[in-house]
Amino acid sequence: MSEVPQKQTHATEVSFRERVEFVLVWLSVHLLRVLPRKLARAVGSGIGLVAFYSLGRLRRVGALNLRLAFPEMPEVERERILRSVYRNLGALLAEFCLMPGYSPDGASRFIRYEGLENYLAARERGKGVLVLTGHLGAWELSSFYHSLMGMPMGMVIRRLDNPLVDAFVNEIRCRHGNRVIHKDDFARGLIASMRAGETVGILMDTNMTPPQGVFVPFFGVQACTASGMARIALKTGAAVVPGFLLWEESEQQYVLRFGRELEVVHTGDSERDAVTNTAAFTAAIEGMIRQYPEQWLWMHRRWKTRPPGDEGIY
C-alpha cells in the first residue's frame, strides 16, 4: 500500500475503525482501477443501483426533493430520474478510481471542452476566477481534468470525517497541481487566491445555516445558500464563471462546459448585494440542473434549514 497517507490532516490519533474504513476504501479504489474503463463504469453503475434499492432513507429524501422541484412531473418520471442519479454517481465513483491513470490525450478521448474561451477571458482579467459549480454531473472529474490539461485550480472542500480517507482522496484530486481549500479556512484562502489571480471552484448547492447562508429561491423554494462566493467576488473583483462537467448521452462522453462570466451586482449595499448575487448564482445552477436533472445530487437535504417560522421539510 504505497499510497497510505503519512500525515494526518485534522486528527492527532487515528482510531481502529478509521483504519479499517481506509483499508476498505483503498481496496475498493484499486479493484476498480485495474478494470477497463467501460467495465469499471458498468460496475460502478451497478453499485449505484444497489444503493438506490438499499438506502431507503436517502431515496425518500431524493423523492421528496424531486416533488418539491418538479411538482407537475409524473411520479414515474421522478423515480426514473432518481434511479439515473444513482447510476451516474456509481459511474462517477468509477471515474474517480481511474483518474490517477488518466493522461491528457487519453482523457480527451471522452472529455471535451465547450466555452473554454469564457474561462480564459475571465482569467486574463488577472483578478482571479471563481468557478461556480455544484454536485452536478462529474464534479470530481471536472477539476481533475482541468488540471490535467495544464490549468490547476483550488477547490473549496469540506474535510472528510476519516483523516486517512481525506488525505488519500485529496492526493488523487491534487495529483496535477490542484490544491484544496478547506471550508474552515474559506475566506482567507479565497481572498489570497483571488489576489494572486488564481482559479478556485466552489460547490455552491448545499444547505447552509445563517449567518454563512442567506435565503434565496431554489426551484421556487427558499433555500439557505452560502453567500461566501458573492462576498469574495464583491471584495476582490474576481470573475464568476459557471463550470460543469456533464455527461452527454448522445455523444457518450463528458463535456466540460464553461458559461459566460456572470455579472456581479455592486450597489454599495454589501448585504443586499450579497443576497442579490447569491440568488443569481443559485439561479444559474438551477438552470443547469433543469437541463440535466438525472445528474444532480437529489439525495442531499438541500432545504433542511428553513426561514424563521417555516415548518421543517424533512
Side-chain angles (χ1 to χ4, degrees), residues 125 127 229-240 261-278 280-281:
R125 285 180 44 198
K127 293 188 176 182
M229 175 180 275
R231 297 180 191 279
I232 296 298
L234 287 165
K235 184 176 181 66
T236 65
V240 178
E261 180 181 343
L262 299 179
E263 178 186 3
V264 177
V265 175
H266 200 318
T267 67
D269 184 332
S270 59
E271 286 305 310
R272 185 175 68 180
D273 290 347
V275 174
T276 298
N277 289 306
T278 299
F281 300 164

Side-chain angles (χ1 to χ4, degrees), residues 87-284:
R87 285 201 301 266
N88 178 65
L89 287 174
L92 177 56
L93 169 65
E95 297 286 4
F96 186 86
C97 296
L98 294 167
M99 282 187 332
Y102 289 163
S103 66
D105 288 342
S108 294
R109 294 191 182 99
F110 55 88
I111 304 174
R112 69 173 177 86
Y113 278 110
E114 185 176 291
L116 180 60
E117 67 277 6
N118 294 322
Y119 166 75
L120 295 175
R123 191 178 66 173
E124 281 299 308
R125 285 180 44 198
K127 293 188 176 182
V129 180
L130 296 167
V131 177
L132 171 68
T133 191
H135 295 85
L136 177 66
W139 63 90
E140 288 284 3
L141 182 56
S142 62
S143 57
F144 184 88
Y145 179 71
H146 205 47
S147 69
L148 191 63
M149 301 305 288
M151 292 170 278
M153 61 193 298
M155 302 169 289
V156 178
I157 302 290
R158 184 186 72 83
R159 297 182 193 270
L160 298 178
D161 293 334
N162 185 320
L164 291 174
V165 176
D166 185 67
F168 176 63
V169 168
N170 285 336
E171 189 278 328
I172 295 175
R173 287 168 170 161
C174 301
R175 188 161 290 197
H176 297 284
N178 284 342
R179 65 186 185 89
V180 167
I181 301 173
H182 288 294
K183 285 192 173 181
D184 51 15
D185 192 31
F186 176 81
R188 183 172 58 184
L190 268 184
I191 291 174
S193 294
M194 295 305 99
R195 286 177 176 167
E198 297 172 351
T199 298
V200 176
I202 301 179
L203 297 156
M204 217 190 86
D205 59 347
T206 57
N207 180 71
M208 297 294 290
T209 56
Q212 290 80 14
V214 296
F215 286 98
V216 298
F218 185 56
F219 286 92
V221 182
Q222 291 294 306
C224 196
T225 306
S227 61
M229 175 180 275
R231 297 180 191 279
I232 296 298
L234 287 165
K235 184 176 181 66
T236 65
V240 178
V241 178
F244 301 91
L245 183 62
L246 300 156
W247 177 256
E248 293 291 351
E249 190 67 29
S250 61
E251 301 179 32
Q252 288 295 293
Q253 68 173 339
Y254 289 104
V255 177
L256 181 47
R257 183 172 290 117
F258 286 106
R260 293 185 177 180
E261 180 181 343
L262 299 179
E263 178 186 3
V264 177
V265 175
H266 200 318
T267 67
D269 184 332
S270 59
E271 286 305 310
R272 185 175 68 180
D273 290 347
V275 174
T276 298
N277 289 306
T278 299
F281 300 164
T282 301

